Amino acid sequence: MANNRGVVYMGKKGVQVQDIEYPELVLKDGPGVPKANVGRKCEHGVILKVIVTNICGSDQHMVRGRTTAPEGLVLGHEITGEVVEVGRDVEFIEKGDIVSVPFNIACGRCVMCQERKTHICLNVNPDRPGSAYGYVDMGGWVGGQSEYVMVPYADFQLLKFPNKEKAMEKILDLTMLTDIFPTGFHGAYTAGVGIGSTVYVAGAGPVGLAAAHSAQLLGASSVIVGDLNEERLAQARSFGCETVDLSKHDRLGEQIEAILGVPEVDAAVDAVGFEASGHGEHGGEQPAAVLNAIMDVTQAGGKLGIPGLYVTEDPGATDEDAKTGSLKVRFGQGWAKAHTFVTGQTPAMQYNRQLMKLILSGKASIAKAVNATVISLDEAPDGYADFDGGAAKKFVIDPHGTLK
């Protein structure tokens, strides 16, 4: 039996790289696995040797203690790998294939999957619709910040790269197909971004930068990115975005007017989520700050793409309501302006194949936009710390040293 190591959530101790069990084609009992999922056979799945796997901002929510994630959870839902074992029920995926794994786990058989709503599959998580690898309340599926990982429903889920050599040349771009590129694109697309649109993106972390790059691909005439971190804003400017430093300005509309001549945009994206901060020097944590701000600055009849994560339980929240996901959102303003809100996990499979084509053709440069930075598996704890400190980087873990 081969060895395996992974990044494990250790509660207040943060994360550690530990020896973990080598995957089998079954979901065993473990941290966060619902009883109804224990022993679930996955002969429709494969074992992957992980080529690259990324640290995500939503992982940071758990590591900061802002969710009810259990200790011992193996993290990681952004997985690209080589197939090394194939279950008996797999027909079309073969050993040696290099594949991208959508972060949503989906069966391909329920009514939601048949309607392409793979982010709310009804069969993979007994506790609620929708599932993901290595994430709290998402069915207990083992994460992929590891050397090897099991992926169920392989024929339906896996995106096979058509050319191995070209895939490895573009691997730092292709690794973003698992989550942040589709998620950023989903935010911009569902906000209605099109030819000539003016767009405001809240948050210059990797998803916000991916949303900004996606808005450019969709034909936006101006993309404005707001954040409290100057290093991340500089990264947004590096590929042609306008920026607003929200640590210095608490009147977003005025800053947008200084750029566009009007205080509103056609479309807005919330790439921050529930750990939002108020604007200005003394903003502090305000979970609804971004939602209220994008309603303020989006024109009447506009759309709000909200790929930023919101949760039902936040033990580290600043007030009692927020601990259960109840936020002080000025919904009346959104109603009065006839805004459209699009929320929830991104159905990655709706976008990943077309975005792969953009990458392979050289039309999309997502790795450059998010500043993809390669680290080893042993460097993962430092990567988490640097990311939490605001580094303008998207950390890509190379568990086997393949990219060297």
Side-chain angles (χ1 to χ4, degrees), residues 241-278:
C241 299
E242 302 281 357
T243 61
V244 176
D245 187 339
L246 297 172
S247 69
K248 299 177 180 177
H249 304 288
D250 59 1
R251 296 183 179 180
L252 178 58
E254 290 181 2
Q255 301 307 308
I256 289 175
E257 186 171 19
I259 296 169
L260 299 178
V262 293
E264 290 185 322
V265 291
D266 299 322
V269 179
D270 172 4
V272 177
F274 73 103
E275 285 194 70
S277 296

Side-chain angles (χ1 to χ4, degrees), residues 159-365:
L159 175 64
K160 177 181 173 180
F161 299 140
N163 182 293
K164 290 184 182 180
E165 185 175 328
K166 192 167 186 179
M168 291 307 298
E169 290 175 1
K170 296 273 191 177
I171 197 67
L172 289 184
D173 292 287
L174 294 171
T175 187
M176 306 305 166
L177 291 174
T178 60
D179 182 354
I180 68 162
F181 198 8
T183 294
F185 190 89
H186 180 66
Y189 181 77
T190 57
V193 177
I195 300 299
S197 295
T198 58
V199 185
Y200 175 67
V201 177
V207 170
L209 297 173
H213 184 45
S214 297
Q216 293 172 332
L217 292 170
L218 287 165
S221 61
S222 181
V223 181
I224 304 168
V225 179
D227 202 285
L228 304 167
N229 182 319
E230 173 52 33
E231 183 182 350
R232 289 182 169 182
L233 291 173
Q235 180 63 27
R237 290 193 293 272
S238 74
F239 60 96
C241 299
E242 302 281 357
T243 61
V244 176
D245 187 339
L246 297 172
S247 69
K248 299 177 180 177
H249 304 288
D250 59 1
R251 296 183 179 180
L252 178 58
E254 290 181 2
Q255 301 307 308
I256 289 175
E257 186 171 19
I259 296 169
L260 299 178
V262 293
E264 290 185 322
V265 291
D266 299 322
V269 179
D270 172 4
V272 177
F274 73 103
E275 285 194 70
S277 296
H279 301 167
E281 294 182 7
H282 307 291
E285 186 168 316
Q286 298 178 29
V290 169
L291 293 172
N292 289 326
I294 61 176
M295 285 190 286
D296 282 340
V297 301
T298 302
Q299 68 177 357
K303 296 180 179 180
L304 312 178
I306 309 173
L309 175 68
Y310 288 88
V311 295
T312 56
E313 293 183 85
D314 175 10
T318 55
D319 63 64
E320 291 303 313
D321 287 338
K323 288 181 179 179
T324 59
S326 299
L327 309 182
K328 296 179 174 63
V329 178
R330 296 182 61 205
F331 187 73
Q333 177 169 238
W335 189 93
K337 295 176 79 172
H339 283 155
T340 297
F341 297 76
V342 181
T343 67
Q345 284 188 49
T346 294
M349 290 179 67
Q350 287 190 21
Y351 307 106
N352 62 356
R353 187 174 301 277
Q354 299 305 99
L355 294 177
M356 175 186 72
K357 293 177 183 179
L358 284 176
I359 289 170
L360 293 176
S361 68
K363 297 295 193 299
S365 301

Side-chain angles (χ1 to χ4, degrees), residues 57-74:
S58 54
D59 296 324
Q60 289 284 16
H61 293 307
M62 290 187 289
V63 174
R64 292 189 191 112
R66 299 301 297 266
T67 72
T68 56
E71 292 188 24
L73 186 70
V74 180

Side-chain angles (χ1 to χ4, degrees), residues 50-56 78-80 145 170-176 178 180 206 366-367 370-380 383-384 387 393-401 403:
V50 178
I51 297 173
V52 279
T53 177
N54 313 324
I55 297 175
C56 182
E78 301 187 13
I79 308 162
T80 305
Q145 286 174 12
K170 296 273 191 177
I171 197 67
L172 289 184
D173 292 287
L174 294 171
T175 187
M176 306 305 166
T178 60
I180 68 162
I366 186 65
V370 302
N371 193 18
T373 303
V374 179
I375 60 175
S376 69
L377 186 64
D378 288 322
E379 292 171 316
Y384 268 92
F387 191 25
K393 300 175 181 179
K394 175 66 173 178
F395 287 106
V396 176
I397 301 171
D398 175 11
H400 296 278
L403 304 193

